[in-house]
Amino acid sequence: MLVSIIKREFQDNLFSFKFSLTLIVCLVLFLTSAYLMTEDYQKRVQQYSTTKSQAERPIAERQPIPLSVLAKGLDNSMGYAQQHNPLFAIFGTLDFMYIVKVALSLMAIFFSFGVISGEKENGTLALTMSNAVSRNTVILGKWIGNYAALIAPFLLAAIIELLVISLSGWVSVDGETWVRMILMIAVSLVYISVFFGLGVFVSAMTQKPSTSLIISILIWATLLLAVPSTVVLGSRSIVDVPSLEETQQKKDAVWRELFTETARKLDDKLTGQNKEAQMVWDDMYRRMSVENKRLDDLRKQKLRRRTSMARNMTRISPALSYVFASTALAGTGIDDKYSYDDLAEKTRAEADGNQEARRARDKIAPPDVSTLSRKTLQESLRIALPDIAVLLILNVLIFMCAYIAFMRYDVRPR
């Protein structure tokens, strides 16, 4: 009986308008995304190569990340930062992750809001329950059949997009990249099922599909728009981070204090050329450098603490958990940004920290930040696991709520 219900639900959706619309929307959006993101990646790679070849000395830059065509994330803020397509600045980056986060989650609502209440209104639910079939079988069959009909056009369009990107010739796709892309699709399926489940749950709590649709869209808008903005603004009031201007003012104060102290030591002979005077000046610059680094590190630590707090708080929104997991797998996430910043800072410090390195840096290339700062697949998966776990737990909780609601649902049409 379960298989029969699944087949019936799938076939009913297969010839429906919403299935055709979902297929068309997915194909148009994913193919458009593949073209725009591949073109943008191509231009960024070209300009990165030009910048590096024209540099007077070797530069520690990170070239654009291949999987940024699927999840742009923070790729523009790691090394070479340039936005080439003006449409991205106006409407946001139309990458794979954005399409799934917004369009597919909304499609999931449209596929599920009438699964229970809609069939109650037209009388088919009561007819189904009049047969010798348990409610367990009915809710499970409807869930699987409708969800399968939802993800079928998504998977088809997603596979076509990946093939277009891999065959473009501009994006290097090796074995590990394919694994990362498959994992991103798997995470997308888990994310889509969260909103599908929400639609089913609301449908099992209401008597009319119109009411279910309105409530579901309100929940969708809250989770995608209201929650992230509110939490980020709230984290700013919890963790105070000094601005760049405030940090610079403190650095200027340190400079004035150390300069005055050094001037007194030299009895106002500021232009002294003797060895002792030069040692005093070198000590002042060393102390100033240490203090400046302390102020910069303090600001960086507070900023990262605020980011970590906001990140943990926004996990109540499945959309943000999906973004964190996808960007981690693509190599464009927050942790990848931190790795790049730390390595780039270390590279600059080693190049400027001693005279020998300073004399040799025009002849010896610095470490390849582009390679060293990238995380392995295992590291990326470990970073993404908490967010994947959040999405899986949400799926289980939502299914349990929908199941309980359906067990108590009055299937008789009014």
Side-chain angles (χ1 to χ4, degrees):
M1 183 60 71
L2 176 62
V3 176
S4 299
I5 295 177
I6 293 174
K7 289 176 62 177
R8 189 196 69 187
E9 295 293 330
F10 184 82
Q11 290 172 356
D12 288 346
N13 281 287
L14 189 62
F15 301 103
S16 67
F17 173 74
K18 62 184 178 183
F19 182 89
S20 301
L21 179 62
T22 302
L23 179 59
I24 293 172
V25 169
C26 286
L27 287 173
V28 171
L29 288 179
F30 282 136
L31 289 177
T32 302
S33 173
Y35 172 75
L36 292 176
M37 297 303 299
T38 303
E39 182 185 43
D40 178 71
Y41 177 78
Q42 170 187 344
K43 291 180 178 178
R44 289 189 292 127
V45 169
Q46 288 176 337
Q47 190 150 350
Y48 161 80
S49 302
T50 302
T51 302
K52 196 158 187 176
S53 63
Q54 292 178 350
E56 296 181 357
R57 67 184 185 198
I59 57 175
E61 285 287 351
R62 178 175 182 170
Q63 64 184 14
I65 300 169
L67 282 180
S68 63
V69 298
L70 296 181
K72 188 80 170 283
L74 298 174
D75 189 36
N76 271 353
S77 64
M78 289 185 275
Y80 179 70
Q82 188 73 18
Q83 186 75 280
H84 285 280
N85 195 320
L87 290 176
F88 295 162
I90 298 174
F91 301 109
T93 304
L94 189 67
D95 56 14
F96 174 88
M97 179 183 69
Y98 181 82
I99 294 171
V100 172
K101 184 184 75 171
V102 179
L104 268 299
S105 61
L106 189 58
M107 288 294 179
I109 296 295
F110 287 128
F111 262 79
S112 58
F113 77 91
V115 168
I116 306 298
S117 57
E119 292 204 0
K120 173 181 178 174
E121 189 175 61
N122 60 31
T124 56
L125 184 59
L127 183 62
T128 300
M129 298 304 301
S130 65
N131 298 316
V133 55
S134 66
R135 293 199 174 206
N136 298 340
T137 304
V138 172
I139 184 64
L140 189 59
K142 286 182 173 296
W143 191 294
I144 297 175
N146 284 276
Y147 180 67
L150 167 63
I151 65 173
F154 161 70
L155 288 176
L156 176 62
I159 292 172
I160 292 175
E161 180 185 9
L162 297 186
L163 291 175
V164 170
I165 290 173
S166 63
L167 296 175
S168 66
W170 278 103
V171 181
S172 177
V173 181
D174 54 16
E176 180 178 313
T177 303
W178 273 111
V179 173
R180 288 177 181 268
M181 291 192 294
I182 292 173
L183 287 173
M184 290 177 68
I185 291 179
V187 173
S188 299
L189 293 175
V190 177
Y191 167 73
I192 293 170
S193 68
V194 171
F195 283 93
F196 176 82
L198 280 172
V200 175
F201 171 57
V202 174
S203 183
M205 293 293 292
T206 55
Q207 304 300 317
K208 294 183 178 181
S210 57
T211 304
S212 174
L213 178 61
I214 293 173
I215 296 175
S216 298
I217 290 180
L218 285 175
I219 295 175
W220 174 86
T222 300
L223 293 176
L224 259 74
L225 304 176
V227 170
S229 301
T230 303
V231 170
V232 170
L233 290 175
S235 66
R236 292 182 178 180
S237 60
I238 297 175
V239 180
D240 182 37
V241 179
S243 64
L244 289 173
E245 291 76 12
E246 292 173 338
T247 303
Q248 187 58 49
Q249 289 175 0
K250 292 180 180 180
K251 290 181 179 180
D252 293 340
V254 170
W255 159 256
R256 289 191 295 269
E257 181 181 348
L258 291 177
F259 186 87
T260 302
E261 178 185 338
T262 303
R264 291 199 192 100
K265 286 182 180 180
L266 295 175
D267 296 328
D268 295 332
K269 296 178 182 178
L270 303 182
T271 59
Q273 298 298 321
N274 59 76
K275 185 175 181 180
E276 183 178 353
Q278 187 61 48
M279 291 176 61
V280 174
W281 284 116
D282 288 344
D283 182 65
M284 185 204 74
Y285 286 119
R286 181 190 59 78
R287 292 169 60 191
M288 185 177 67
S289 176
V290 170
E291 188 63 21
N292 286 348
K293 186 177 186 306
R294 186 188 70 81
L295 292 171
D296 287 335
D297 289 344
L298 180 62
R299 182 178 185 277
K300 181 175 69 174
Q301 290 171 5
K302 288 187 175 182
L303 185 60
R304 291 189 178 184
R305 187 159 63 248
R306 175 199 284 177
T307 302
S308 177
M309 177 178 295
R311 185 178 180 180
N312 291 329
M313 294 170 64
T314 52
R315 282 193 170 111
I316 62 176
S317 168
L320 271 297
S321 291
Y322 171 67
V323 168
F324 294 146
S326 296
T327 52
L329 292 173
T332 59
I334 295 174
D335 294 274
D336 298 277
K337 165 69 172 170
Y338 287 166
S339 296
Y340 169 81
D341 288 344
D342 292 341
L343 186 56
E345 181 181 347
K346 180 180 178 181
T347 301
R348 288 191 295 268
E350 290 177 350
D352 296 332
N354 58 76
Q355 294 183 358
E356 181 179 357
R358 198 176 303 129
R359 287 193 300 267
R361 67 183 176 185
D362 290 332
K363 299 179 181 179
I364 302 176
D368 186 357
V369 175
S370 176
T371 301
L372 293 179
S373 62
R374 291 189 179 177
K375 297 185 179 299
T376 64
L377 176 59
Q378 290 75 14
E379 290 173 333
S380 298
L381 188 57
R382 177 181 55 80
I383 294 170
L385 274 179
D387 295 291
I388 297 175
V390 169
L391 293 175
L392 291 172
I393 292 172
L394 284 175
N395 270 286
V396 173
L397 291 177
I398 292 171
F399 179 80
M400 290 174 61
C401 292
Y403 175 83
I404 294 172
F406 185 69
M407 292 298 105
R408 305 169 60 183
Y409 194 75
D410 182 6
V411 301
R412 294 171 297 179
R414 294 185 178 182

